[in-house]
Amino acid sequence: MALFAAPTPTRSIAVPALVLIAIAEAAFILFCLIPSPPSACPATSTITTTVTTTKTSSSHSVSVQTTEEDTEWIKSQLASNELVGAGLSHDEWHKLRKGINPRTREHQLQDLINYKGISHYEGPEAKNHTALPCPPELLVEEHHSNYGEPWAGGRDVFVFLASATNLSPSDRVLEVGCGTLRVGRHFIRYLDTSHFHCLERDPLSLMAAFLYELPSDGLITKRPLIIRGEDMDFSKFGDNFFYDLIYASAVFLHMPDKLVWIGIERLANRLRPDKGRIFVSHNIKFCSRLGGEECTRRLSKLGLEYVGKQTHDSLLFNHYEIWFEFKRVKTSDLI
């Protein structure tokens, strides 16, 4: 019965207040429904647009190219710090070498072999403080000299291929013969975790990749799928996805034509229809030696089409590289 007792003075004040609030809310809603200038009512679409444009997604491609503004900034920094850069002669360059122990790579290697490091553990403790013991040959980066051009050229290849395919971090990439990750490490950093795959046959290159490049570049957490194998056997990579980019840098020219065609046949159906691309560097003698018509016929039988030849320049040294592009034909084009 107390719930239905006569209202106290406090309750007599609360009831009209609630009514007034309800009336005010109704009036505000009615006011917003009446046509008025855009600024009169907060627009939900404006908030949504703001959130959408500021949200980052791995499905969107990210610019990887060095712009003219970027290069001008570097030049301005050289000038402001009174640095000559590329204008020095070989002798002048080496006269600038200073430091506690200015040594060649060979001297550094011998020091590592003979003396480990400046400060190092001895005896049983020597094995208890290094999680991933790395051979001294890798520590002095001998493998960076295993290529016919500077190590920095790997970045040039990455920028060209990523730009040519409008690559997104969520895409999947396969490199046939990634070596010591001269190019691959840039893709690994850019792509989502485990989206970079590689088939490599050389054990020394693989040790350099696993024991030095991935740890030193902080890329272990990206978990690239790098498999030792040969004879174009891609069976260990799985088959429940498509590749958006498959590339071979200076690899096919060292293989018998028959083996190259075996690899292309195995990879053709793994390429994403329409968007996916295969890029081959230097030359495509495996194709040209057959003659234009026969090569086109073979490619067509595999659902592939030759797109054309492209070149790209190096950012840091006088060099250009030639690439040949192939794509997977749409299913409708085969009918």
Side-chain angles (χ1 to χ4, degrees):
M1 297 296 294
L3 293 175
F4 299 96
T8 63
T10 303
R11 286 174 183 158
S12 64
I13 295 172
V15 172
L18 291 174
V19 173
L20 288 173
I21 292 172
I23 294 172
E25 288 179 348
F28 178 75
I29 293 172
L30 181 62
F31 175 69
C32 287
L33 292 175
I34 299 173
S36 58
S39 60
C41 295
T44 304
S45 60
T46 304
I47 299 173
T48 304
T49 303
T50 303
V51 173
T52 302
T53 54
T54 56
K55 181 180 178 181
T56 58
S57 171
S58 63
S59 64
H60 297 156
S61 60
V62 180
S63 177
V64 296
Q65 293 197 17
T66 302
T67 65
E68 184 178 352
E69 182 181 357
D70 295 332
T71 58
E72 289 302 319
W73 181 83
I74 289 291
K75 292 175 182 178
S76 70
Q77 298 307 298
L78 290 171
S80 64
N81 287 285
E82 299 181 352
L83 301 172
V84 179
L88 296 174
S89 67
H90 179 74
D91 291 337
E92 289 172 331
W93 179 264
H94 281 278
K95 285 180 181 179
L96 292 176
R97 291 186 62 189
K98 297 177 182 178
I100 299 174
N101 293 303
R103 295 162 294 174
T104 64
R105 182 174 287 168
E106 184 178 349
H107 291 154
Q108 187 181 17
L109 174 60
Q110 289 305 312
D111 283 350
L112 276 172
I113 293 173
N114 297 331
Y115 310 112
K116 287 91 174 171
I118 294 177
S119 300
H120 60 273
Y121 298 97
E122 293 287 359
E125 289 296 303
K127 298 181 179 180
N128 296 334
H129 296 271
T130 305
L132 286 173
C134 185
E137 290 79 6
L138 296 180
L139 290 172
V140 299
E141 300 179 343
E142 277 191 349
H143 58 286
H144 286 190
S145 300
N146 292 348
Y147 297 85
E149 59 188 52
W151 180 257
R155 173 75 183 180
D156 299 324
V157 174
F158 161 71
V159 170
F160 165 72
L161 292 175
S163 301
T165 57
N166 194 28
L167 198 70
S168 298
S170 60
D171 289 343
R172 294 181 182 271
V173 174
L174 169 68
E175 181 175 5
V176 182
C178 59
T180 59
L181 298 180
R182 174 174 171 265
V183 178
R185 64 196 185 101
H186 299 288
F187 279 104
I188 294 169
R189 181 179 293 107
Y190 176 79
L191 295 171
D192 289 347
T193 300
S194 300
H195 279 212
F196 177 83
H197 294 179
C198 164
L199 182 69
E200 173 58 53
R201 60 176 294 181
D202 181 53
L204 180 60
S205 295
L206 289 171
M207 285 192 288
F210 286 120
L211 286 176
Y212 185 78
E213 294 302 330
L214 291 178
S216 65
D217 276 358
L219 297 175
I220 299 177
T221 58
K222 298 305 287 285
R223 297 293 194 274
L225 181 56
I226 303 172
I227 295 176
R228 181 182 178 183
E230 50 188 333
D231 296 333
M232 292 296 206
D233 181 6
F234 303 99
S235 59
K236 294 181 180 179
F237 291 97
D239 56 5
N240 59 340
F241 56 86
F242 289 115
Y243 287 112
D244 299 276
L245 168 64
I246 299 171
Y247 71 96
S249 178
V251 172
F252 286 176
L253 53 138
H254 300 300
M255 291 183 179
D257 291 357
K258 182 178 180 181
L259 183 57
V260 174
W261 279 107
I262 289 174
I264 292 176
E265 181 178 355
R266 291 172 177 172
L267 291 173
N269 290 332
R270 304 299 310 279
L271 196 64
R272 190 179 301 281
D274 193 28
K275 179 182 185 294
R277 292 292 187 272
I278 296 177
F279 275 89
V280 180
S281 74
H282 291 73
N283 64 61
I284 48 173
K285 289 184 178 180
F286 66 90
C287 198
S288 59
R289 277 191 278 257
L290 295 174
E293 290 186 5
E294 176 60 19
C295 180
T296 300
R297 186 191 69 80
R298 279 206 189 185
L299 290 172
S300 179
K301 187 177 179 181
L302 297 175
L304 297 175
E305 178 182 298
Y306 174 61
V307 177
K309 180 173 72 172
Q310 299 187 51
T311 63
H312 72 84
D313 296 335
S314 172
L315 176 66
L316 300 179
F317 60 106
N318 186 2
H319 172 76
Y320 70 88
E321 200 157 301
I322 301 172
W323 288 86
F324 299 85
E325 179 182 0
F326 302 84
K327 71 175 183 178
R328 186 174 175 185
V329 181
K330 294 180 182 178
T331 306
S332 58
D333 294 339
L334 297 174
I335 299 175

Coordinates of all heavy atoms in Angstrom, one line a residue, residues 229-309:
G229 N 63.9 -26.6 -51.0 CA 63.4 -27.6 -51.9 C 63.9 -27.2 -53.3 O 64.4 -26.1 -53.6
E230 N 63.7 -28.1 -54.2 CA 64.1 -27.9 -55.6 C 63.1 -28.6 -56.5 O 62.1 -29.1 -56.1 CB 65.5 -28.3 -55.8 CG 65.9 -29.7 -55.4 CD 67.4 -30.0 -55.4 OE1 68.0 -29.4 -56.3 OE2 67.8 -30.8 -54.6
D231 N 63.5 -28.6 -57.8 CA 62.6 -29.3 -58.8 C 61.2 -28.7 -58.9 O 60.3 -29.4 -59.2 CB 62.6 -30.8 -58.6 CG 63.9 -31.4 -58.8 OD1 64.8 -30.9 -59.5 OD2 64.2 -32.5 -58.1
M232 N 61.1 -27.4 -58.5 CA 59.8 -26.7 -58.6 C 58.7 -27.4 -57.8 O 57.6 -27.5 -58.3 CB 59.4 -26.5 -60.0 CG 60.3 -25.5 -60.8 SD 60.3 -23.9 -60.1 CE 60.7 -22.9 -61.5
D233 N 59.0 -28.0 -56.7 CA 58.0 -28.7 -55.8 C 57.5 -27.7 -54.8 O 58.1 -27.3 -53.8 CB 58.7 -29.8 -55.1 CG 57.7 -30.6 -54.3 OD1 56.5 -30.3 -54.3 OD2 58.2 -31.5 -53.6
F234 N 56.2 -27.3 -55.1 CA 55.5 -26.3 -54.2 C 54.5 -26.9 -53.3 O 53.6 -26.2 -52.8 CB 54.9 -25.2 -55.0 CG 55.9 -24.5 -56.0 CD1 56.0 -24.8 -57.3 CD2 56.7 -23.5 -55.5 CE1 56.9 -24.2 -58.1 CE2 57.6 -22.9 -56.3 CZ 57.7 -23.2 -57.6
S235 N 54.5 -28.3 -53.2 CA 53.4 -29.0 -52.5 C 53.4 -28.6 -51.0 O 52.3 -28.8 -50.4 CB 53.6 -30.5 -52.7 OG 54.9 -30.9 -52.2
K236 N 54.5 -28.2 -50.4 CA 54.5 -28.0 -49.0 C 53.9 -26.6 -48.6 O 53.8 -26.3 -47.4 CB 55.9 -28.0 -48.4 CG 56.5 -29.4 -48.5 CD 57.9 -29.5 -47.9 CE 58.5 -30.9 -48.0 NZ 59.9 -30.9 -47.5
F237 N 53.5 -25.8 -49.5 CA 53.0 -24.5 -49.2 C 51.5 -24.5 -49.0 O 50.9 -23.4 -48.6 CB 53.3 -23.5 -50.4 CG 54.8 -23.2 -50.5 CD1 55.6 -23.8 -51.4 CD2 55.4 -22.2 -49.7 CE1 56.9 -23.6 -51.5 CE2 56.7 -21.9 -49.7 CZ 57.5 -22.6 -50.6
G238 N 50.8 -25.6 -49.2 CA 49.3 -25.6 -49.1 C 48.7 -25.2 -50.4 O 49.3 -24.6 -51.3
D239 N 47.4 -25.3 -50.4 CA 46.7 -25.0 -51.7 C 45.3 -24.4 -51.5 O 44.4 -24.4 -52.3 CB 46.5 -26.3 -52.5 CG 45.7 -27.4 -51.8 OD1 45.3 -27.1 -50.6 OD2 45.6 -28.5 -52.3
N240 N 45.1 -23.8 -50.3 CA 43.8 -23.2 -50.0 C 43.8 -21.7 -50.2 O 43.0 -21.0 -49.5 CB 43.3 -23.6 -48.6 CG 44.3 -23.1 -47.5 OD1 45.5 -22.8 -47.8 ND2 43.9 -23.0 -46.3
F241 N 44.6 -21.1 -51.0 CA 44.7 -19.7 -51.2 C 45.3 -19.4 -52.6 O 45.9 -20.3 -53.2 CB 45.5 -19.0 -50.1 CG 46.9 -19.6 -50.0 CD1 47.9 -19.1 -50.8 CD2 47.2 -20.6 -49.1 CE1 49.2 -19.6 -50.7 CE2 48.4 -21.1 -49.0 CZ 49.5 -20.7 -49.8
F242 N 45.2 -18.2 -53.0 CA 45.8 -17.7 -54.3 C 47.0 -16.8 -54.0 O 47.0 -16.1 -52.9 CB 44.8 -17.0 -55.2 CG 43.8 -17.8 -55.8 CD1 42.4 -17.7 -55.4 CD2 44.1 -18.8 -56.7 CE1 41.4 -18.5 -56.0 CE2 43.1 -19.6 -57.3 CZ 41.8 -19.4 -56.9
Y243 N 48.0 -16.8 -54.9 CA 49.0 -15.8 -54.8 C 48.7 -14.6 -55.6 O 48.2 -14.7 -56.8 CB 50.4 -16.4 -55.3 CG 51.0 -17.4 -54.4 CD1 51.1 -18.7 -54.7 CD2 51.5 -17.0 -53.1 CE1 51.6 -19.7 -53.9 CE2 52.0 -17.9 -52.3 CZ 52.1 -19.2 -52.6 OH 52.7 -20.2 -51.8
D244 N 48.9 -13.4 -55.1 CA 48.7 -12.1 -55.8 C 50.0 -11.8 -56.6 O 49.9 -11.0 -57.6 CB 48.4 -11.0 -54.9 CG 47.1 -11.3 -54.1 OD1 46.0 -11.1 -54.6 OD2 47.2 -11.9 -53.0
L245 N 51.1 -12.3 -56.2 CA 52.4 -12.0 -56.9 C 53.3 -13.2 -56.8 O 53.5 -13.7 -55.7 CB 53.1 -10.8 -56.4 CG 54.5 -10.5 -56.9 CD1 54.6 -10.3 -58.4 CD2 55.1 -9.3 -56.1
I246 N 53.8 -13.7 -57.9 CA 54.8 -14.7 -58.0 C 56.0 -14.1 -58.8 O 55.7 -13.6 -59.9 CB 54.3 -16.0 -58.6 CG1 53.1 -16.6 -57.8 CG2 55.4 -17.0 -58.7 CD1 52.4 -17.8 -58.5
Y247 N 57.2 -14.2 -58.2 CA 58.3 -13.6 -59.0 C 59.6 -14.4 -58.8 O 59.7 -15.2 -57.9 CB 58.5 -12.2 -58.6 CG 59.2 -12.0 -57.2 CD1 60.5 -11.8 -57.1 CD2 58.3 -11.9 -56.1 CE1 61.1 -11.6 -55.8 CE2 58.9 -11.7 -54.8 CZ 60.3 -11.5 -54.7 OH 60.8 -11.4 -53.4
A248 N 60.4 -14.3 -59.9 CA 61.7 -15.0 -59.9 C 62.7 -14.0 -60.4 O 62.7 -13.6 -61.5 CB 61.6 -16.2 -60.8
S249 N 63.7 -13.7 -59.5 CA 64.7 -12.7 -59.8 C 66.0 -13.4 -60.2 O 66.6 -14.0 -59.3 CB 64.9 -11.7 -58.7 OG 65.9 -10.8 -58.9
A250 N 66.4 -13.4 -61.5 CA 67.6 -14.0 -61.9 C 67.7 -15.5 -61.5 O 68.8 -16.0 -61.2 CB 68.8 -13.2 -61.4
V251 N 66.6 -16.2 -61.6 CA 66.6 -17.6 -61.2 C 66.3 -18.5 -62.4 O 67.0 -19.5 -62.7 CB 65.5 -17.8 -60.2 CG1 65.3 -19.3 -59.9 CG2 65.8 -17.1 -58.9
F252 N 65.3 -18.2 -63.2 CA 64.9 -19.0 -64.4 C 66.0 -19.2 -65.4 O 66.1 -20.2 -66.1 CB 63.6 -18.5 -65.0 CG 62.4 -18.8 -64.2 CD1 61.2 -18.3 -64.6 CD2 62.5 -19.5 -63.0 CE1 60.0 -18.5 -63.9 CE2 61.3 -19.7 -62.3 CZ 60.1 -19.3 -62.7
L253 N 66.9 -18.1 -65.5 CA 68.0 -18.2 -66.5 C 69.0 -19.2 -66.1 O 69.9 -19.6 -66.9 CB 68.6 -16.8 -66.7 CG 69.1 -16.1 -65.5 CD1 70.5 -15.5 -65.8 CD2 68.2 -15.0 -65.1
H254 N 69.0 -19.7 -64.9 CA 69.9 -20.8 -64.5 C 69.3 -22.2 -64.5 O 70.0 -23.1 -64.0 CB 70.5 -20.5 -63.0 CG 71.2 -19.1 -62.9 ND1 72.3 -18.8 -63.6 CD2 70.9 -18.0 -62.2 CE1 72.7 -17.6 -63.3 NE2 71.8 -17.1 -62.5
M255 N 68.1 -22.3 -64.9 CA 67.4 -23.5 -64.9 C 67.2 -24.1 -66.3 O 67.1 -23.3 -67.3 CB 66.0 -23.4 -64.3 CG 66.0 -23.1 -62.8 SD 64.3 -23.0 -62.2 CE 64.6 -22.8 -60.5
P256 N 67.1 -25.4 -66.5 CA 66.7 -25.9 -67.8 C 65.3 -25.5 -68.2 O 64.4 -25.4 -67.3 CB 66.7 -27.5 -67.6 CG 67.6 -27.7 -66.4 CD 67.4 -26.4 -65.5
D257 N 65.0 -25.2 -69.4 CA 63.7 -24.7 -69.9 C 62.6 -25.7 -69.4 O 61.5 -25.2 -69.0 CB 63.7 -24.6 -71.4 CG 64.6 -23.4 -71.9 OD1 65.1 -22.7 -71.0 OD2 64.7 -23.2 -73.1
K258 N 62.9 -27.0 -69.5 CA 61.8 -27.9 -69.2 C 61.4 -27.8 -67.7 O 60.2 -27.8 -67.4 CB 62.4 -29.4 -69.4 CG 61.4 -30.4 -69.1 CD 61.9 -31.8 -69.4 CE 60.9 -32.9 -69.1 NZ 61.5 -34.3 -69.4
L259 N 62.4 -27.5 -66.8 CA 62.0 -27.4 -65.4 C 61.3 -26.1 -65.1 O 60.4 -26.0 -64.3 CB 63.3 -27.4 -64.6 CG 63.1 -27.3 -63.0 CD1 62.3 -28.5 -62.5 CD2 64.5 -27.4 -62.3
V260 N 61.6 -25.0 -65.9 CA 60.9 -23.8 -65.8 C 59.4 -24.0 -66.1 O 58.5 -23.5 -65.4 CB 61.5 -22.7 -66.6 CG1 60.7 -21.4 -66.6 CG2 63.0 -22.4 -66.2
W261 N 59.2 -24.6 -67.2 CA 57.8 -24.9 -67.6 C 57.0 -25.7 -66.6 O 55.8 -25.5 -66.4 CB 57.8 -25.5 -69.0 CG 58.0 -24.5 -70.1 CD1 59.1 -24.3 -70.9 CD2 57.0 -23.5 -70.5 NE1 58.9 -23.3 -71.8 CE2 57.6 -22.8 -71.6 CE3 55.7 -23.2 -70.2 CZ2 57.0 -21.7 -72.2 CZ3 55.1 -22.2 -70.8 CH2 55.7 -21.4 -71.8
I262 N 57.7 -26.7 -66.0 CA 57.1 -27.5 -65.0 C 56.6 -26.6 -63.8 O 55.5 -26.7 -63.3 CB 58.1 -28.6 -64.5 CG1 58.3 -29.7 -65.5 CG2 57.5 -29.2 -63.2 CD1 59.3 -30.7 -65.2
G263 N 57.5 -25.7 -63.4 CA 57.2 -24.8 -62.4 C 56.0 -23.9 -62.7 O 55.1 -23.6 -61.9
I264 N 56.0 -23.3 -63.9 CA 55.0 -22.4 -64.4 C 53.6 -23.2 -64.4 O 52.6 -22.6 -64.0 CB 55.3 -21.8 -65.7 CG1 56.5 -20.9 -65.6 CG2 54.1 -21.1 -66.3 CD1 57.0 -20.3 -66.9
E265 N 53.7 -24.4 -64.9 CA 52.5 -25.2 -64.9 C 51.9 -25.4 -63.6 O 50.7 -25.4 -63.3 CB 52.8 -26.6 -65.6 CG 51.5 -27.5 -65.7 CD 51.9 -28.8 -66.5 OE1 53.0 -28.9 -66.9 OE2 51.0 -29.6 -66.5
R266 N 52.7 -25.7 -62.6 CA 52.3 -25.9 -61.2 C 51.8 -24.7 -60.5 O 50.9 -24.8 -59.6 CB 53.4 -26.6 -60.4 CG 53.8 -28.0 -60.8 CD 55.0 -28.5 -60.1 NE 55.3 -29.9 -60.5 CZ 56.5 -30.5 -60.1 NH1 57.4 -29.9 -59.4 NH2 56.6 -31.8 -60.5
L267 N 52.3 -23.5 -61.0 CA 51.9 -22.3 -60.3 C 50.7 -21.6 -61.0 O 50.1 -20.7 -60.4 CB 53.1 -21.4 -60.2 CG 54.3 -21.8 -59.3 CD1 55.5 -20.9 -59.5 CD2 53.8 -21.8 -57.9
A268 N 50.4 -21.9 -62.2 CA 49.4 -21.2 -63.0 C 48.1 -21.1 -62.2 O 47.5 -20.0 -62.1 CB 49.3 -21.8 -64.4
N269 N 47.6 -22.2 -61.7 CA 46.4 -22.2 -61.0 C 46.4 -21.7 -59.6 O 45.4 -21.5 -59.0 CB 45.8 -23.7 -61.0 CG 45.4 -24.2 -62.3 OD1 45.0 -23.4 -63.2 ND2 45.5 -25.5 -62.5
R270 N 47.6 -21.4 -59.1 CA 47.8 -20.8 -57.8 C 47.8 -19.3 -57.9 O 47.8 -18.6 -56.8 CB 49.1 -21.2 -57.2 CG 49.3 -22.7 -57.1 CD 48.2 -23.4 -56.2 NE 48.1 -22.7 -55.0 CZ 48.9 -22.9 -53.9 NH1 49.9 -23.8 -54.0 NH2 48.7 -22.3 -52.8
L271 N 47.7 -18.7 -59.1 CA 47.7 -17.3 -59.3 C 46.3 -16.7 -59.2 O 45.4 -17.3 -59.8 CB 48.4 -16.9 -60.6 CG 48.8 -15.5 -60.9 CD1 50.0 -15.1 -59.9 CD2 49.3 -15.3 -62.3
R272 N 46.1 -15.7 -58.5 CA 44.8 -15.1 -58.4 C 44.3 -14.6 -59.7 O 45.0 -13.9 -60.4 CB 44.8 -13.9 -57.4 CG 43.3 -13.4 -57.1 CD 43.4 -12.3 -56.1 NE 44.0 -12.6 -54.8 CZ 43.5 -13.3 -53.8 NH1 42.2 -13.8 -54.0 NH2 44.1 -13.6 -52.7
P273 N 43.1 -15.1 -60.2 CA 42.6 -14.7 -61.5 C 42.5 -13.2 -61.6 O 42.1 -12.5 -60.7 CB 41.2 -15.3 -61.5 CG 41.3 -16.5 -60.5 CD 42.2 -16.0 -59.5
D274 N 42.9 -12.7 -62.8 CA 42.8 -11.3 -63.2 C 43.8 -10.4 -62.5 O 44.7 -9.9 -63.1 CB 41.4 -10.7 -62.9 CG 41.2 -9.4 -63.6 OD1 41.9 -9.2 -64.7 OD2 40.4 -8.6 -63.2
K275 N 43.8 -10.3 -61.2 CA 44.7 -9.5 -60.4 C 46.1 -10.0 -60.3 O 47.1 -9.3 -60.4 CB 44.2 -9.2 -59.0 CG 45.1 -8.3 -58.2 CD 44.6 -8.1 -56.8 CE 45.4 -7.1 -56.0 NZ 46.8 -7.6 -55.7
G276 N 46.3 -11.3 -60.1 CA 47.6 -12.0 -59.9 C 48.5 -11.8 -61.1 O 48.1 -11.8 -62.2
R277 N 49.8 -11.7 -60.7 CA 50.9 -11.5 -61.7 C 52.1 -12.4 -61.5 O 52.4 -12.6 -60.3 CB 51.3 -10.0 -61.8 CG 50.3 -9.0 -62.3 CD 50.0 -9.2 -63.8 NE 49.2 -8.2 -64.3 CZ 47.8 -8.2 -64.3 NH1 47.2 -9.3 -63.8 NH2 47.1 -7.3 -64.9
I278 N 52.7 -12.8 -62.5 CA 54.0 -13.5 -62.5 C 55.0 -12.5 -63.1 O 54.8 -12.1 -64.2 CB 54.0 -14.8 -63.2 CG1 53.1 -15.8 -62.5 CG2 55.4 -15.4 -63.2 CD1 52.9 -17.1 -63.2
F279 N 56.1 -12.3 -62.4 CA 57.2 -11.4 -63.0 C 58.5 -12.2 -63.0 O 58.9 -12.9 -62.0 CB 57.4 -10.2 -62.1 CG 56.5 -9.0 -62.5 CD1 55.2 -8.9 -61.9 CD2 56.9 -8.1 -63.4 CE1 54.4 -7.9 -62.2 CE2 56.0 -7.0 -63.7 CZ 54.8 -6.9 -63.1
V280 N 59.2 -12.2 -64.1 CA 60.4 -12.9 -64.3 C 61.5 -11.9 -64.8 O 61.2 -11.1 -65.7 CB 60.3 -14.0 -65.4 CG1 61.6 -14.7 -65.6 CG2 59.2 -15.0 -65.0
S281 N 62.6 -11.9 -64.2 CA 63.6 -10.9 -64.5 C 64.6 -11.3 -65.6 O 64.8 -12.5 -65.8 CB 64.4 -10.5 -63.2 OG 65.3 -11.5 -62.9
H282 N 65.3 -10.4 -66.2 CA 66.4 -10.5 -67.1 C 66.0 -11.0 -68.5 O 66.2 -10.3 -69.4 CB 67.5 -11.4 -66.5 CG 68.2 -10.8 -65.3 ND1 67.6 -10.7 -64.1 CD2 69.5 -10.3 -65.2 CE1 68.5 -10.1 -63.3 NE2 69.6 -9.9 -63.9
N283 N 65.5 -12.3 -68.6 CA 65.1 -12.7 -69.9 C 64.1 -13.9 -69.7 O 63.9 -14.4 -68.6 CB 66.3 -13.2 -70.8 CG 67.0 -14.4 -70.2 OD1 66.4 -15.5 -70.0 ND2 68.3 -14.2 -69.9
I284 N 63.4 -14.2 -70.8 CA 62.5 -15.4 -70.8 C 62.8 -16.3 -72.0 O 62.0 -16.6 -72.8 CB 61.0 -14.9 -70.9 CG1 60.8 -13.9 -72.0 CG2 60.6 -14.3 -69.5 CD1 59.4 -13.5 -72.2
K285 N 64.1 -16.7 -72.0 CA 64.6 -17.6 -73.0 C 63.8 -18.9 -73.0 O 63.7 -19.6 -74.1 CB 66.1 -17.8 -72.9 CG 66.9 -16.6 -73.3 CD 68.4 -16.8 -73.2 CE 69.2 -15.6 -73.7 NZ 70.6 -15.8 -73.6
F286 N 63.3 -19.3 -71.9 CA 62.5 -20.5 -71.8 C 61.3 -20.4 -72.7 O 60.7 -21.4 -73.2 CB 62.1 -20.8 -70.4 CG 61.1 -19.8 -69.8 CD1 59.7 -20.0 -69.9 CD2 61.6 -18.7 -69.1 CE1 58.9 -19.0 -69.4 CE2 60.7 -17.8 -68.6 CZ 59.4 -17.9 -68.7
C287 N 60.9 -19.2 -73.0 CA 59.7 -18.9 -73.8 C 60.2 -18.6 -75.3 O 59.7 -19.1 -76.2 CB 58.9 -17.8 -73.3 SG 57.3 -17.6 -73.9
S288 N 61.1 -17.7 -75.4 CA 61.6 -17.2 -76.7 C 62.2 -18.3 -77.5 O 62.2 -18.3 -78.8 CB 62.5 -16.0 -76.6 OG 63.7 -16.4 -75.8
R289 N 62.8 -19.3 -76.9 CA 63.5 -20.4 -77.6 C 62.5 -21.3 -78.3 O 62.8 -22.0 -79.3 CB 64.4 -21.2 -76.7 CG 65.8 -20.6 -76.5 CD 66.7 -21.6 -75.8 NE 66.5 -21.6 -74.4 CZ 67.4 -21.0 -73.5 NH1 68.5 -20.4 -74.0 NH2 67.2 -21.1 -72.2
L290 N 61.2 -21.2 -77.9 CA 60.1 -22.0 -78.5 C 59.6 -21.3 -79.7 O 59.0 -21.9 -80.6 CB 59.0 -22.2 -77.5 CG 59.3 -23.1 -76.3 CD1 58.1 -23.0 -75.3 CD2 59.6 -24.5 -76.7
G291 N 59.8 -20.0 -79.8 CA 59.2 -19.2 -80.9 C 57.9 -18.5 -80.3 O 57.2 -19.1 -79.4
G292 N 57.5 -17.4 -80.8 CA 56.4 -16.6 -80.3 C 55.1 -17.4 -80.3 O 54.4 -17.4 -79.3
E293 N 54.7 -18.0 -81.4 CA 53.4 -18.7 -81.5 C 53.4 -19.9 -80.5 O 52.4 -20.1 -79.9 CB 53.2 -19.2 -82.9 CG 53.0 -18.0 -83.9 CD 52.6 -18.5 -85.3 OE1 52.4 -19.7 -85.4 OE2 52.5 -17.7 -86.2
E294 N 54.4 -20.7 -80.5 CA 54.4 -21.8 -79.6 C 54.4 -21.4 -78.1 O 53.7 -22.1 -77.3 CB 55.6 -22.7 -79.9 CG 55.8 -23.9 -79.0 CD 54.6 -24.9 -79.1 OE1 53.8 -24.8 -80.1 OE2 54.4 -25.7 -78.1
C295 N 55.1 -20.4 -77.8 CA 55.1 -19.9 -76.4 C 53.7 -19.4 -76.0 O 53.2 -19.7 -74.9 CB 56.1 -18.8 -76.2 SG 56.2 -18.2 -74.5
T296 N 53.1 -18.7 -76.9 CA 51.8 -18.1 -76.6 C 50.8 -19.3 -76.5 O 49.9 -19.3 -75.6 CB 51.3 -17.2 -77.8 OG1 52.2 -16.1 -77.9 CG2 49.9 -16.7 -77.5
R297 N 50.9 -20.3 -77.3 CA 50.0 -21.5 -77.2 C 50.2 -22.2 -75.9 O 49.2 -22.5 -75.3 CB 50.3 -22.5 -78.4 CG 49.4 -23.6 -78.5 CD 49.9 -24.7 -79.4 NE 51.0 -25.4 -78.9 CZ 51.0 -26.3 -77.9 NH1 49.8 -26.7 -77.5 NH2 52.1 -26.9 -77.5
R298 N 51.4 -22.4 -75.5 CA 51.7 -23.1 -74.2 C 51.1 -22.2 -73.0 O 50.5 -22.8 -72.1 CB 53.2 -23.3 -74.0 CG 53.7 -24.5 -74.7 CD 55.0 -25.0 -74.0 NE 55.7 -26.0 -74.8 CZ 56.7 -26.6 -74.3 NH1 57.2 -26.4 -73.1 NH2 57.3 -27.6 -75.0
L299 N 51.4 -21.0 -73.0 CA 50.8 -20.1 -72.0 C 49.3 -20.1 -71.9 O 48.7 -20.2 -70.9 CB 51.3 -18.7 -72.2 CG 52.8 -18.4 -71.9 CD1 53.2 -17.0 -72.4 CD2 53.2 -18.6 -70.5
S300 N 48.7 -20.1 -73.1 CA 47.3 -20.1 -73.2 C 46.7 -21.4 -72.6 O 45.6 -21.4 -72.0 CB 46.8 -19.9 -74.6 OG 45.4 -19.9 -74.8
K301 N 47.4 -22.5 -72.9 CA 46.9 -23.8 -72.4 C 46.9 -23.8 -70.9 O 46.1 -24.5 -70.3 CB 47.8 -24.9 -73.0 CG 47.4 -26.3 -72.7 CD 48.3 -27.3 -73.4 CE 47.8 -28.7 -73.0 NZ 48.8 -29.7 -73.7
L302 N 47.8 -23.0 -70.3 CA 47.9 -23.0 -68.8 C 47.0 -21.9 -68.2 O 47.0 -21.7 -67.0 CB 49.4 -22.7 -68.4 CG 50.4 -23.8 -68.8 CD1 51.8 -23.4 -68.4 CD2 50.0 -25.1 -68.1
G303 N 46.3 -21.1 -69.1 CA 45.5 -20.1 -68.6 C 46.2 -18.8 -68.3 O 45.8 -17.9 -67.6
L304 N 47.4 -18.6 -69.0 CA 48.3 -17.5 -68.8 C 48.4 -16.7 -70.0 O 48.2 -17.2 -71.1 CB 49.7 -17.9 -68.3 CG 49.7 -18.6 -66.9 CD1 51.2 -19.1 -66.7 CD2 49.3 -17.7 -65.8
E305 N 48.8 -15.4 -69.8 CA 49.0 -14.5 -71.0 C 50.1 -13.6 -70.7 O 50.3 -13.1 -69.6 CB 47.7 -13.7 -71.1 CG 47.7 -12.6 -72.2 CD 46.4 -11.8 -72.3 OE1 45.4 -12.4 -72.5 OE2 46.5 -10.6 -72.0
Y306 N 51.0 -13.4 -71.7 CA 52.1 -12.5 -71.6 C 51.6 -11.1 -71.7 O 50.9 -10.7 -72.6 CB 53.1 -12.8 -72.7 CG 54.3 -11.8 -72.8 CD1 55.2 -11.7 -71.7 CD2 54.5 -11.0 -73.9 CE1 56.2 -10.8 -71.7 CE2 55.6 -10.1 -74.0 CZ 56.4 -10.0 -72.9 OH 57.5 -9.1 -72.9
V307 N 52.0 -10.2 -70.7 CA 51.5 -8.8 -70.7 C 52.5 -7.9 -71.3 O 52.1 -7.0 -72.1 CB 51.3 -8.4 -69.2 CG1 50.9 -6.9 -69.1 CG2 50.2 -9.3 -68.5
G308 N 53.8 -8.0 -71.0 CA 54.8 -7.2 -71.6 C 56.1 -7.1 -70.8 O 56.2 -7.7 -69.8
K309 N 57.0 -6.2 -71.3 CA 58.3 -6.0 -70.7 C 58.3 -4.7 -70.0 O 57.9 -3.7 -70.5 CB 59.4 -6.1 -71.7 CG 60.8 -6.0 -71.1 CD 61.9 -6.2 -72.2 CE 61.9 -5.1 -73.2 NZ 63.1 -5.3 -74.1

